[in-house]
Every structure is written in structure tokens, then in C-alpha cells.
Amino acid sequence: MAGILAWFWNERFWLPHNVTWADLKNTDESTFPQAEDLYLACPLAFCVFMIRLVFERFIARPCALALKIQANGPQKAQPNAILEKVFTAITKHPDEKRLEGLSKQLDWDVRTIQRWFRQRRNQEKPSTLTRFCESMWRFTFYLYIFTYGVRYLKKTPWLWNTRECWYNYPYQALTVDLHYYYILELSFYLSLLFSQFTDIRRKDFLLMFMHHVATISLITFSYVNNMARVGTLVMCLHDAADVLLEAAKMANYAKCQRLCNVLFIMFGLVFISSRLGIYPVWILNSTLFESWEIVGPYPSWWVFNTLLVLLQALHTFWSYLIVKIASGQDPLPFLFALSQHKFITNLLETQIKQLKCW
């Protein structure tokens, strides 16, 4: 185990040349990010999850009911032990041969059995009220963390000059505000990872799981090797569009279509301008070129920048699909791609109808 840990924490991978972990130990004069700081995110993630439950129960739910959002879910299929066994143990989408066999066994016509399976599948979908509460929670968190990020970054020199992210790197002191920002973001995404196993299971479960793991990995990676300054820029930039997305979903669930349309278009504009304009020109330029000039490359530098470039490739793909659907093209690839980035299919289906009318 000691050998594995020594290999994993190899200084020549994580840190620039001639820098050791001992150089980054906390002293009375300065504090640096420590890997063990991230352990705090686990109990905090549980606290965030509990706050979410309280928020949805006592704040989001009353708001939803005030907006006359129905609490009842889809129509439930009538109880049937045979069909339930097939549904849970064999398949949720029976083929024609199986449908004919069930029809003979139950003395039901095929169409009735198909309707039963459709209703049973719909039972596993969250109700509109549940979706509204979830979106309101995420909207509230994203709004808070984005506002906090903007207020914090306004006081930092690297917001106005990204070269400050690399001057005196990695001997950049960890402030209380920066530590709070990182730990809270990490705790939130850990809570999303946990809640996937308690929430109603959705079709994009695996994709969302991978998305959360990737986000957590990037946050953790940039904290451990003290790329926290540029990490704050990345986090704040990505939270901007998520605020508008969750607001659009809330408007959709409340059947405020005009507001939903406006928010969705605003989301698209912010997403494309921030992910295709600001991100590559402002952040990638700094991590790839300014850091090379000031610090120079080393193994974890290559890994970090590879992940950021791959993220840019995804930004380009998603932005292309947003433009494609806005121009009235085939929406199916768009729906599939956006399901990988916390997009709810029901919202998009509504937007497709509206955009086609335009």
C-alpha cells in the first residue's frame, strides 16, 4: 500500500521541476491546498443533500403548489403479477413474440398489454412537481454559487489578468474564500452523485454518473496541484449557463411558455458565447500558452490541459446542436446529447415545438 501511495503521489508527476510536497506544507506564514482538505467535502456533501431535502419539502414544494403544478404523477398501470415479473426481471420493452405469448397467457389483446407496459414505464418517471422541486433546488444553488464566484473573483487579480494564475506558481497561498468556494462546489457535485442512487432512476443515469465523476475529478485535480486560481475561473464560467437552464425548466413546468422561451434562448446565447468564446480565448489560452511561458510543462500539466481541451470539444458539439435545433433541424441527436449535460427531455420537446413555429 505504501508503494502504491508513493507511486500515486509522485512529485515528478504532480508538481513542476524542483518542487516537492515538503515545499507546499502549511506554515505559520502561508497556507497551501492540501489533498486531505478534500476529505471535508464528503460529510459536507451529506449536509448539502439533507439541506436539499428540507428545501424541496418546505420551500420548493409550496412554491410549486402555489403555481398550481400537479402533485400527481403519470397514470398507474393496474396491478398484474405476471406482467410485473416480466417488466422487472426480463424486459421493459417486450417484442412482438413476447407480447403474443402474454396475450394468450392472460387472455388480453396485444394493444392492452402494450398500453400496460407504457403506463408502467411512465410510473418510473418523476412527476412534474418532483422535477420542479429538483430544478428549483439546483437553480437556487447555481444562483448562489455563481453570485459568490463573481463577487469573489472581482477582488482577485487573476480575473483581470490571467497571467496572475501562474506567477509564483505553485507557491500561491490558499485563502479562506478560495477554500470555501472549492469545497462547496465539490460537496455539491458529490451530493448529486449520491442522490442519483436515491432519486428516481432515469435513462441517462450512467451518462450523468460519468459527468459528475468527471466534474469531481477536475475539481479535485486542480486543487491538489494548486491550479485553484484558474479552477475558480472555470467553475464560475460554467455555472453561468446552468442558472438560466434551471430557470427555463422551472418556467416550463409552471407552463409559463413565453418566459420559458425567453430563458431558453438566453441560455443558448450564454452557453455558446461563454463556451465557444470566453472559455477558449480566456481560459484555454491561459492554461496552454501563458502557463507554458511562465511555468513550463510537466506531466500533470499535460493531463489537466488535455481534460480542458476535451471539455472544449464537448462545448463545440453541444453548441452546434443548439444552433441546429434552433434552425429547425432534426432534434433527436440534440436531445440525446443534451441528456448528457443535465438537460430534461420534456423541456426540449416543448422548445422544439416552439422553435419550429418560429
PDB file of all heavy atoms in Angstrom, residues 10-21 23-24 166 168-171 224-227 291 294-301:
ATOM      1  N   ASN A  10       3.607  10.730  -6.755  1.00  0.00           N
ATOM      2  CA  ASN A  10       4.934  11.040  -7.275  1.00  0.00           C
ATOM      3  C   ASN A  10       5.052  12.537  -7.577  1.00  0.00           C
ATOM      4  O   ASN A  10       4.281  13.093  -8.372  1.00  0.00           O
ATOM      5  CB  ASN A  10       5.186  10.221  -8.543  1.00  0.00           C
ATOM      6  CG  ASN A  10       6.615  10.305  -9.019  1.00  0.00           C
ATOM      7  OD1 ASN A  10       7.204  11.376  -9.039  1.00  0.00           O
ATOM      8  ND2 ASN A  10       7.184   9.182  -9.399  1.00  0.00           N
ATOM      9  N   GLU A  11       6.018  13.184  -6.947  1.00  0.00           N
ATOM     10  CA  GLU A  11       6.178  14.628  -7.108  1.00  0.00           C
ATOM     11  C   GLU A  11       6.486  15.026  -8.541  1.00  0.00           C
ATOM     12  O   GLU A  11       6.113  16.104  -8.990  1.00  0.00           O
ATOM     13  CB  GLU A  11       7.287  15.118  -6.175  1.00  0.00           C
ATOM     14  CG  GLU A  11       6.929  14.984  -4.700  1.00  0.00           C
ATOM     15  CD  GLU A  11       8.128  15.142  -3.790  1.00  0.00           C
ATOM     16  OE1 GLU A  11       9.257  14.948  -4.297  1.00  0.00           O
ATOM     17  OE2 GLU A  11       7.948  15.442  -2.606  1.00  0.00           O
ATOM     18  N   ARG A  12       7.168  14.147  -9.254  1.00  0.00           N
ATOM     19  CA  ARG A  12       7.562  14.475 -10.624  1.00  0.00           C
ATOM     20  C   ARG A  12       6.363  14.448 -11.571  1.00  0.00           C
ATOM     21  O   ARG A  12       6.441  14.957 -12.681  1.00  0.00           O
ATOM     22  CB  ARG A  12       8.652  13.529 -11.114  1.00  0.00           C
ATOM     23  CG  ARG A  12       9.938  13.615 -10.330  1.00  0.00           C
ATOM     24  CD  ARG A  12      10.740  14.889 -10.628  1.00  0.00           C
ATOM     25  NE  ARG A  12      10.091  16.169 -10.387  1.00  0.00           N
ATOM     26  CZ  ARG A  12       9.982  16.762  -9.199  1.00  0.00           C
ATOM     27  NH1 ARG A  12      10.470  16.172  -8.132  1.00  0.00           N
ATOM     28  NH2 ARG A  12       9.377  17.927  -9.088  1.00  0.00           N
ATOM     29  N   PHE A  13       5.279  13.838 -11.128  1.00  0.00           N
ATOM     30  CA  PHE A  13       4.048  13.893 -11.929  1.00  0.00           C
ATOM     31  C   PHE A  13       3.230  15.121 -11.570  1.00  0.00           C
ATOM     32  O   PHE A  13       2.792  15.871 -12.439  1.00  0.00           O
ATOM     33  CB  PHE A  13       3.214  12.635 -11.724  1.00  0.00           C
ATOM     34  CG  PHE A  13       1.834  12.720 -12.334  1.00  0.00           C
ATOM     35  CD1 PHE A  13       1.654  12.514 -13.692  1.00  0.00           C
ATOM     36  CD2 PHE A  13       0.726  13.053 -11.555  1.00  0.00           C
ATOM     37  CE1 PHE A  13       0.398  12.618 -14.274  1.00  0.00           C
ATOM     38  CE2 PHE A  13      -0.537  13.160 -12.120  1.00  0.00           C
ATOM     39  CZ  PHE A  13      -0.706  12.934 -13.485  1.00  0.00           C
ATOM     40  N   TRP A  14       3.012  15.337 -10.289  1.00  0.00           N
ATOM     41  CA  TRP A  14       2.087  16.356  -9.843  1.00  0.00           C
ATOM     42  C   TRP A  14       2.642  17.772  -9.891  1.00  0.00           C
ATOM     43  O   TRP A  14       1.894  18.726 -10.114  1.00  0.00           O
ATOM     44  CB  TRP A  14       1.628  16.061  -8.411  1.00  0.00           C
ATOM     45  CG  TRP A  14       0.690  14.905  -8.304  1.00  0.00           C
ATOM     46  CD1 TRP A  14       1.009  13.621  -7.972  1.00  0.00           C
ATOM     47  CD2 TRP A  14      -0.724  14.914  -8.536  1.00  0.00           C
ATOM     48  NE1 TRP A  14      -0.112  12.824  -7.979  1.00  0.00           N
ATOM     49  CE2 TRP A  14      -1.191  13.605  -8.328  1.00  0.00           C
ATOM     50  CE3 TRP A  14      -1.640  15.903  -8.895  1.00  0.00           C
ATOM     51  CZ2 TRP A  14      -2.523  13.257  -8.461  1.00  0.00           C
ATOM     52  CZ3 TRP A  14      -2.972  15.560  -9.036  1.00  0.00           C
ATOM     53  CH2 TRP A  14      -3.397  14.255  -8.816  1.00  0.00           C
ATOM     54  N   LEU A  15       3.931  17.919  -9.654  1.00  0.00           N
ATOM     55  CA  LEU A  15       4.484  19.250  -9.420  1.00  0.00           C
ATOM     56  C   LEU A  15       5.535  19.621 -10.463  1.00  0.00           C
ATOM     57  O   LEU A  15       6.144  18.748 -11.079  1.00  0.00           O
ATOM     58  CB  LEU A  15       5.120  19.303  -8.028  1.00  0.00           C
ATOM     59  CG  LEU A  15       4.178  18.971  -6.858  1.00  0.00           C
ATOM     60  CD1 LEU A  15       4.968  18.900  -5.568  1.00  0.00           C
ATOM     61  CD2 LEU A  15       3.051  19.989  -6.763  1.00  0.00           C
ATOM     62  N   PRO A  16       5.765  20.925 -10.655  1.00  0.00           N
ATOM     63  CA  PRO A  16       6.827  21.358 -11.577  1.00  0.00           C
ATOM     64  C   PRO A  16       8.205  20.894 -11.108  1.00  0.00           C
ATOM     65  O   PRO A  16       8.388  20.477  -9.964  1.00  0.00           O
ATOM     66  CB  PRO A  16       6.706  22.892 -11.539  1.00  0.00           C
ATOM     67  CG  PRO A  16       5.338  23.160 -11.032  1.00  0.00           C
ATOM     68  CD  PRO A  16       5.004  22.057 -10.102  1.00  0.00           C
ATOM     69  N   HIS A  17       9.161  21.018 -11.986  1.00  0.00           N
ATOM     70  CA  HIS A  17      10.531  20.590 -11.701  1.00  0.00           C
ATOM     71  C   HIS A  17      11.086  21.346 -10.485  1.00  0.00           C
ATOM     72  O   HIS A  17      10.856  22.543 -10.325  1.00  0.00           O
ATOM     73  CB  HIS A  17      11.418  20.841 -12.924  1.00  0.00           C
ATOM     74  CG  HIS A  17      12.814  20.322 -12.783  1.00  0.00           C
ATOM     75  ND1 HIS A  17      13.095  18.978 -12.595  1.00  0.00           N
ATOM     76  CD2 HIS A  17      14.015  20.964 -12.780  1.00  0.00           C
ATOM     77  CE1 HIS A  17      14.396  18.809 -12.501  1.00  0.00           C
ATOM     78  NE2 HIS A  17      14.987  20.004 -12.606  1.00  0.00           N
ATOM     79  N   ASN A  18      11.783  20.608  -9.628  1.00  0.00           N
ATOM     80  CA  ASN A  18      12.439  21.152  -8.427  1.00  0.00           C
ATOM     81  C   ASN A  18      11.454  21.593  -7.352  1.00  0.00           C
ATOM     82  O   ASN A  18      11.843  22.328  -6.425  1.00  0.00           O
ATOM     83  CB  ASN A  18      13.359  22.336  -8.779  1.00  0.00           C
ATOM     84  CG  ASN A  18      14.580  21.890  -9.556  1.00  0.00           C
ATOM     85  OD1 ASN A  18      15.042  20.747  -9.398  1.00  0.00           O
ATOM     86  ND2 ASN A  18      15.111  22.770 -10.404  1.00  0.00           N
ATOM     87  N   VAL A  19      10.202  21.188  -7.430  1.00  0.00           N
ATOM     88  CA  VAL A  19       9.215  21.463  -6.383  1.00  0.00           C
ATOM     89  C   VAL A  19       8.832  20.135  -5.731  1.00  0.00           C
ATOM     90  O   VAL A  19       8.609  19.137  -6.419  1.00  0.00           O
ATOM     91  CB  VAL A  19       7.961  22.152  -6.946  1.00  0.00           C
ATOM     92  CG1 VAL A  19       6.946  22.417  -5.833  1.00  0.00           C
ATOM     93  CG2 VAL A  19       8.321  23.440  -7.650  1.00  0.00           C
ATOM     94  N   THR A  20       8.752  20.107  -4.406  1.00  0.00           N
ATOM     95  CA  THR A  20       8.390  18.888  -3.672  1.00  0.00           C
ATOM     96  C   THR A  20       7.160  19.164  -2.819  1.00  0.00           C
ATOM     97  O   THR A  20       6.776  20.323  -2.583  1.00  0.00           O
ATOM     98  CB  THR A  20       9.548  18.422  -2.782  1.00  0.00           C
ATOM     99  OG1 THR A  20       9.738  19.389  -1.728  1.00  0.00           O
ATOM    100  CG2 THR A  20      10.839  18.264  -3.576  1.00  0.00           C
ATOM    101  N   TRP A  21       6.559  18.089  -2.306  1.00  0.00           N
ATOM    102  CA  TRP A  21       5.409  18.243  -1.421  1.00  0.00           C
ATOM    103  C   TRP A  21       5.815  18.975  -0.144  1.00  0.00           C
ATOM    104  O   TRP A  21       5.017  19.732   0.433  1.00  0.00           O
ATOM    105  CB  TRP A  21       4.814  16.877  -1.074  1.00  0.00           C
ATOM    106  CG  TRP A  21       4.168  16.176  -2.221  1.00  0.00           C
ATOM    107  CD1 TRP A  21       4.504  14.971  -2.742  1.00  0.00           C
ATOM    108  CD2 TRP A  21       3.052  16.641  -3.002  1.00  0.00           C
ATOM    109  NE1 TRP A  21       3.689  14.639  -3.803  1.00  0.00           N
ATOM    110  CE2 TRP A  21       2.787  15.644  -3.979  1.00  0.00           C
ATOM    111  CE3 TRP A  21       2.265  17.790  -2.982  1.00  0.00           C
ATOM    112  CZ2 TRP A  21       1.763  15.769  -4.919  1.00  0.00           C
ATOM    113  CZ3 TRP A  21       1.241  17.914  -3.919  1.00  0.00           C
ATOM    114  CH2 TRP A  21       0.998  16.921  -4.864  1.00  0.00           C
ATOM    115  N   ASP A  23       7.760  21.387   0.103  1.00  0.00           N
ATOM    116  CA  ASP A  23       7.763  22.836  -0.152  1.00  0.00           C
ATOM    117  C   ASP A  23       6.377  23.446  -0.006  1.00  0.00           C
ATOM    118  O   ASP A  23       6.253  24.666   0.188  1.00  0.00           O
ATOM    119  CB  ASP A  23       8.283  23.120  -1.569  1.00  0.00           C
ATOM    120  CG  ASP A  23       9.721  22.670  -1.759  1.00  0.00           C
ATOM    121  OD1 ASP A  23      10.470  22.670  -0.767  1.00  0.00           O
ATOM    122  OD2 ASP A  23      10.081  22.304  -2.899  1.00  0.00           O
ATOM    123  N   LEU A  24       5.351  22.617  -0.124  1.00  0.00           N
ATOM    124  CA  LEU A  24       3.971  23.115  -0.092  1.00  0.00           C
ATOM    125  C   LEU A  24       3.261  22.781   1.212  1.00  0.00           C
ATOM    126  O   LEU A  24       2.026  22.833   1.281  1.00  0.00           O
ATOM    127  CB  LEU A  24       3.182  22.540  -1.276  1.00  0.00           C
ATOM    128  CG  LEU A  24       3.703  22.944  -2.665  1.00  0.00           C
ATOM    129  CD1 LEU A  24       2.899  22.258  -3.756  1.00  0.00           C
ATOM    130  CD2 LEU A  24       3.662  24.455  -2.848  1.00  0.00           C
ATOM    131  N   TRP A 166      -0.411  32.150 -12.824  1.00  0.00           N
ATOM    132  CA  TRP A 166       0.828  31.371 -12.940  1.00  0.00           C
ATOM    133  C   TRP A 166       2.044  32.041 -12.325  1.00  0.00           C
ATOM    134  O   TRP A 166       3.068  31.384 -12.156  1.00  0.00           O
ATOM    135  CB  TRP A 166       1.081  31.080 -14.430  1.00  0.00           C
ATOM    136  CG  TRP A 166      -0.145  30.542 -15.090  1.00  0.00           C
ATOM    137  CD1 TRP A 166      -0.937  31.182 -15.991  1.00  0.00           C
ATOM    138  CD2 TRP A 166      -0.765  29.276 -14.848  1.00  0.00           C
ATOM    139  NE1 TRP A 166      -2.000  30.400 -16.345  1.00  0.00           N
ATOM    140  CE2 TRP A 166      -1.928  29.216 -15.658  1.00  0.00           C
ATOM    141  CE3 TRP A 166      -0.447  28.179 -14.043  1.00  0.00           C
ATOM    142  CZ2 TRP A 166      -2.762  28.110 -15.672  1.00  0.00           C
ATOM    143  CZ3 TRP A 166      -1.286  27.078 -14.050  1.00  0.00           C
ATOM    144  CH2 TRP A 166      -2.430  27.054 -14.860  1.00  0.00           C
ATOM    145  N   ASN A 168       4.491  32.956  -9.651  1.00  0.00           N
ATOM    146  CA  ASN A 168       4.865  32.336  -8.375  1.00  0.00           C
ATOM    147  C   ASN A 168       4.180  30.982  -8.156  1.00  0.00           C
ATOM    148  O   ASN A 168       4.042  30.523  -7.029  1.00  0.00           O
ATOM    149  CB  ASN A 168       4.541  33.264  -7.192  1.00  0.00           C
ATOM    150  CG  ASN A 168       5.299  32.869  -5.940  1.00  0.00           C
ATOM    151  OD1 ASN A 168       6.447  32.430  -6.007  1.00  0.00           O
ATOM    152  ND2 ASN A 168       4.657  32.986  -4.784  1.00  0.00           N
ATOM    153  N   TYR A 169       3.754  30.359  -9.242  1.00  0.00           N
ATOM    154  CA  TYR A 169       3.137  29.031  -9.131  1.00  0.00           C
ATOM    155  C   TYR A 169       4.225  27.998  -8.855  1.00  0.00           C
ATOM    156  O   TYR A 169       5.300  28.060  -9.445  1.00  0.00           O
ATOM    157  CB  TYR A 169       2.395  28.675 -10.425  1.00  0.00           C
ATOM    158  CG  TYR A 169       1.832  27.263 -10.436  1.00  0.00           C
ATOM    159  CD1 TYR A 169       0.610  27.006  -9.844  1.00  0.00           C
ATOM    160  CD2 TYR A 169       2.557  26.211 -10.985  1.00  0.00           C
ATOM    161  CE1 TYR A 169       0.102  25.711  -9.832  1.00  0.00           C
ATOM    162  CE2 TYR A 169       2.055  24.922 -10.967  1.00  0.00           C
ATOM    163  CZ  TYR A 169       0.836  24.680 -10.394  1.00  0.00           C
ATOM    164  OH  TYR A 169       0.345  23.412 -10.358  1.00  0.00           O
ATOM    165  N   PRO A 170       3.981  26.985  -7.968  1.00  0.00           N
ATOM    166  CA  PRO A 170       2.743  26.697  -7.236  1.00  0.00           C
ATOM    167  C   PRO A 170       2.700  27.284  -5.832  1.00  0.00           C
ATOM    168  O   PRO A 170       1.877  26.853  -5.011  1.00  0.00           O
ATOM    169  CB  PRO A 170       2.784  25.174  -7.171  1.00  0.00           C
ATOM    170  CG  PRO A 170       4.231  24.856  -6.999  1.00  0.00           C
ATOM    171  CD  PRO A 170       4.969  25.890  -7.807  1.00  0.00           C
ATOM    172  N   TYR A 171       3.581  28.259  -5.522  1.00  0.00           N
ATOM    173  CA  TYR A 171       3.631  28.828  -4.175  1.00  0.00           C
ATOM    174  C   TYR A 171       2.603  29.938  -4.026  1.00  0.00           C
ATOM    175  O   TYR A 171       2.936  31.076  -3.668  1.00  0.00           O
ATOM    176  CB  TYR A 171       5.043  29.341  -3.888  1.00  0.00           C
ATOM    177  CG  TYR A 171       6.106  28.296  -4.076  1.00  0.00           C
ATOM    178  CD1 TYR A 171       6.940  28.323  -5.198  1.00  0.00           C
ATOM    179  CD2 TYR A 171       6.267  27.267  -3.151  1.00  0.00           C
ATOM    180  CE1 TYR A 171       7.916  27.347  -5.379  1.00  0.00           C
ATOM    181  CE2 TYR A 171       7.249  26.287  -3.331  1.00  0.00           C
ATOM    182  CZ  TYR A 171       8.063  26.336  -4.450  1.00  0.00           C
ATOM    183  OH  TYR A 171       9.023  25.365  -4.640  1.00  0.00           O
ATOM    184  N   VAL A 224      -5.484  19.767  -5.886  1.00  0.00           N
ATOM    185  CA  VAL A 224      -4.319  19.058  -5.359  1.00  0.00           C
ATOM    186  C   VAL A 224      -3.017  19.671  -5.861  1.00  0.00           C
ATOM    187  O   VAL A 224      -2.063  19.823  -5.095  1.00  0.00           O
ATOM    188  CB  VAL A 224      -4.392  17.560  -5.716  1.00  0.00           C
ATOM    189  CG1 VAL A 224      -3.071  16.849  -5.416  1.00  0.00           C
ATOM    190  CG2 VAL A 224      -5.522  16.890  -4.935  1.00  0.00           C
ATOM    191  N   ASN A 225      -2.942  20.007  -7.157  1.00  0.00           N
ATOM    192  CA  ASN A 225      -1.688  20.581  -7.653  1.00  0.00           C
ATOM    193  C   ASN A 225      -1.722  22.116  -7.698  1.00  0.00           C
ATOM    194  O   ASN A 225      -0.939  22.750  -8.381  1.00  0.00           O
ATOM    195  CB  ASN A 225      -1.315  20.006  -9.022  1.00  0.00           C
ATOM    196  CG  ASN A 225      -2.259  20.437 -10.117  1.00  0.00           C
ATOM    197  OD1 ASN A 225      -3.285  21.069  -9.867  1.00  0.00           O
ATOM    198  ND2 ASN A 225      -1.932  20.088 -11.347  1.00  0.00           N
ATOM    199  N   ASN A 226      -2.677  22.682  -6.929  1.00  0.00           N
ATOM    200  CA  ASN A 226      -2.766  24.135  -6.708  1.00  0.00           C
ATOM    201  C   ASN A 226      -2.962  24.940  -7.993  1.00  0.00           C
ATOM    202  O   ASN A 226      -2.437  26.049  -8.120  1.00  0.00           O
ATOM    203  CB  ASN A 226      -1.540  24.660  -5.955  1.00  0.00           C
ATOM    204  CG  ASN A 226      -1.853  25.956  -5.203  1.00  0.00           C
ATOM    205  OD1 ASN A 226      -3.011  26.330  -5.071  1.00  0.00           O
ATOM    206  ND2 ASN A 226      -0.819  26.630  -4.722  1.00  0.00           N
ATOM    207  N   MET A 227      -3.734  24.394  -8.915  1.00  0.00           N
ATOM    208  CA  MET A 227      -4.193  25.190 -10.053  1.00  0.00           C
ATOM    209  C   MET A 227      -5.551  25.806  -9.729  1.00  0.00           C
ATOM    210  O   MET A 227      -6.419  25.954 -10.583  1.00  0.00           O
ATOM    211  CB  MET A 227      -4.288  24.330 -11.309  1.00  0.00           C
ATOM    212  CG  MET A 227      -2.950  23.904 -11.875  1.00  0.00           C
ATOM    213  SD  MET A 227      -3.146  23.022 -13.456  1.00  0.00           S
ATOM    214  CE  MET A 227      -1.434  22.735 -13.895  1.00  0.00           C
ATOM    215  N   SER A 291       0.718  29.596 -19.150  1.00  0.00           N
ATOM    216  CA  SER A 291       1.367  28.721 -18.176  1.00  0.00           C
ATOM    217  C   SER A 291       2.641  28.102 -18.744  1.00  0.00           C
ATOM    218  O   SER A 291       3.630  27.905 -18.029  1.00  0.00           O
ATOM    219  CB  SER A 291       0.400  27.617 -17.727  1.00  0.00           C
ATOM    220  OG  SER A 291       0.085  26.762 -18.800  1.00  0.00           O
ATOM    221  N   ILE A 294       5.290  30.861 -18.487  1.00  0.00           N
ATOM    222  CA  ILE A 294       5.691  31.282 -17.136  1.00  0.00           C
ATOM    223  C   ILE A 294       6.201  30.118 -16.292  1.00  0.00           C
ATOM    224  O   ILE A 294       7.200  30.253 -15.579  1.00  0.00           O
ATOM    225  CB  ILE A 294       4.500  31.970 -16.433  1.00  0.00           C
ATOM    226  CG1 ILE A 294       4.089  33.223 -17.217  1.00  0.00           C
ATOM    227  CG2 ILE A 294       4.846  32.328 -14.988  1.00  0.00           C
ATOM    228  CD1 ILE A 294       2.798  33.855 -16.741  1.00  0.00           C
ATOM    229  N   VAL A 295       5.517  28.964 -16.364  1.00  0.00           N
ATOM    230  CA  VAL A 295       5.860  27.817 -15.521  1.00  0.00           C
ATOM    231  C   VAL A 295       6.576  26.730 -16.295  1.00  0.00           C
ATOM    232  O   VAL A 295       7.571  26.156 -15.836  1.00  0.00           O
ATOM    233  CB  VAL A 295       4.584  27.232 -14.858  1.00  0.00           C
ATOM    234  CG1 VAL A 295       4.931  26.039 -13.978  1.00  0.00           C
ATOM    235  CG2 VAL A 295       3.862  28.310 -14.055  1.00  0.00           C
ATOM    236  N   GLY A 296       6.074  26.445 -17.494  1.00  0.00           N
ATOM    237  CA  GLY A 296       6.620  25.337 -18.271  1.00  0.00           C
ATOM    238  C   GLY A 296       5.816  24.069 -18.041  1.00  0.00           C
ATOM    239  O   GLY A 296       5.163  23.910 -17.008  1.00  0.00           O
ATOM    240  N   PRO A 297       5.835  23.142 -18.996  1.00  0.00           N
ATOM    241  CA  PRO A 297       5.035  21.929 -18.880  1.00  0.00           C
ATOM    242  C   PRO A 297       5.665  20.892 -17.938  1.00  0.00           C
ATOM    243  O   PRO A 297       6.865  20.882 -17.730  1.00  0.00           O
ATOM    244  CB  PRO A 297       4.995  21.406 -20.316  1.00  0.00           C
ATOM    245  CG  PRO A 297       6.292  21.870 -20.899  1.00  0.00           C
ATOM    246  CD  PRO A 297       6.580  23.208 -20.266  1.00  0.00           C
ATOM    247  N   TYR A 298       4.801  20.044 -17.387  1.00  0.00           N
ATOM    248  CA  TYR A 298       5.211  18.892 -16.583  1.00  0.00           C
ATOM    249  C   TYR A 298       4.058  17.893 -16.671  1.00  0.00           C
ATOM    250  O   TYR A 298       2.978  18.233 -17.200  1.00  0.00           O
ATOM    251  CB  TYR A 298       5.537  19.302 -15.139  1.00  0.00           C
ATOM    252  CG  TYR A 298       4.455  20.091 -14.447  1.00  0.00           C
ATOM    253  CD1 TYR A 298       3.545  19.486 -13.601  1.00  0.00           C
ATOM    254  CD2 TYR A 298       4.341  21.470 -14.666  1.00  0.00           C
ATOM    255  CE1 TYR A 298       2.552  20.216 -12.973  1.00  0.00           C
ATOM    256  CE2 TYR A 298       3.354  22.208 -14.056  1.00  0.00           C
ATOM    257  CZ  TYR A 298       2.458  21.573 -13.201  1.00  0.00           C
ATOM    258  OH  TYR A 298       1.468  22.293 -12.585  1.00  0.00           O
ATOM    259  N   PRO A 299       4.218  16.635 -16.218  1.00  0.00           N
ATOM    260  CA  PRO A 299       3.212  15.598 -16.517  1.00  0.00           C
ATOM    261  C   PRO A 299       1.769  15.966 -16.158  1.00  0.00           C
ATOM    262  O   PRO A 299       0.869  15.806 -16.990  1.00  0.00           O
ATOM    263  CB  PRO A 299       3.719  14.401 -15.706  1.00  0.00           C
ATOM    264  CG  PRO A 299       5.193  14.568 -15.704  1.00  0.00           C
ATOM    265  CD  PRO A 299       5.421  16.059 -15.604  1.00  0.00           C
ATOM    266  N   SER A 300       1.505  16.432 -14.944  1.00  0.00           N
ATOM    267  CA  SER A 300       0.117  16.742 -14.593  1.00  0.00           C
ATOM    268  C   SER A 300      -0.408  17.951 -15.361  1.00  0.00           C
ATOM    269  O   SER A 300      -1.619  18.092 -15.559  1.00  0.00           O
ATOM    270  CB  SER A 300      -0.021  16.972 -13.082  1.00  0.00           C
ATOM    271  OG  SER A 300       0.627  18.164 -12.687  1.00  0.00           O
ATOM    272  N   TRP A 301       0.506  18.823 -15.814  1.00  0.00           N
ATOM    273  CA  TRP A 301       0.112  19.942 -16.675  1.00  0.00           C
ATOM    274  C   TRP A 301      -0.494  19.412 -17.958  1.00  0.00           C
ATOM    275  O   TRP A 301      -1.518  19.916 -18.429  1.00  0.00           O
ATOM    276  CB  TRP A 301       1.344  20.806 -16.975  1.00  0.00           C
ATOM    277  CG  TRP A 301       1.091  22.000 -17.851  1.00  0.00           C
ATOM    278  CD1 TRP A 301       0.831  23.271 -17.441  1.00  0.00           C
ATOM    279  CD2 TRP A 301       1.099  22.041 -19.288  1.00  0.00           C
ATOM    280  NE1 TRP A 301       0.666  24.105 -18.528  1.00  0.00           N
ATOM    281  CE2 TRP A 301       0.836  23.379 -19.682  1.00  0.00           C
ATOM    282  CE3 TRP A 301       1.305  21.095 -20.281  1.00  0.00           C
ATOM    283  CZ2 TRP A 301       0.768  23.779 -21.001  1.00  0.00           C
ATOM    284  CZ3 TRP A 301       1.231  21.488 -21.605  1.00  0.00           C
ATOM    285  CH2 TRP A 301       0.970  22.807 -21.970  1.00  0.00           C
TER     286      TRP A 301
END
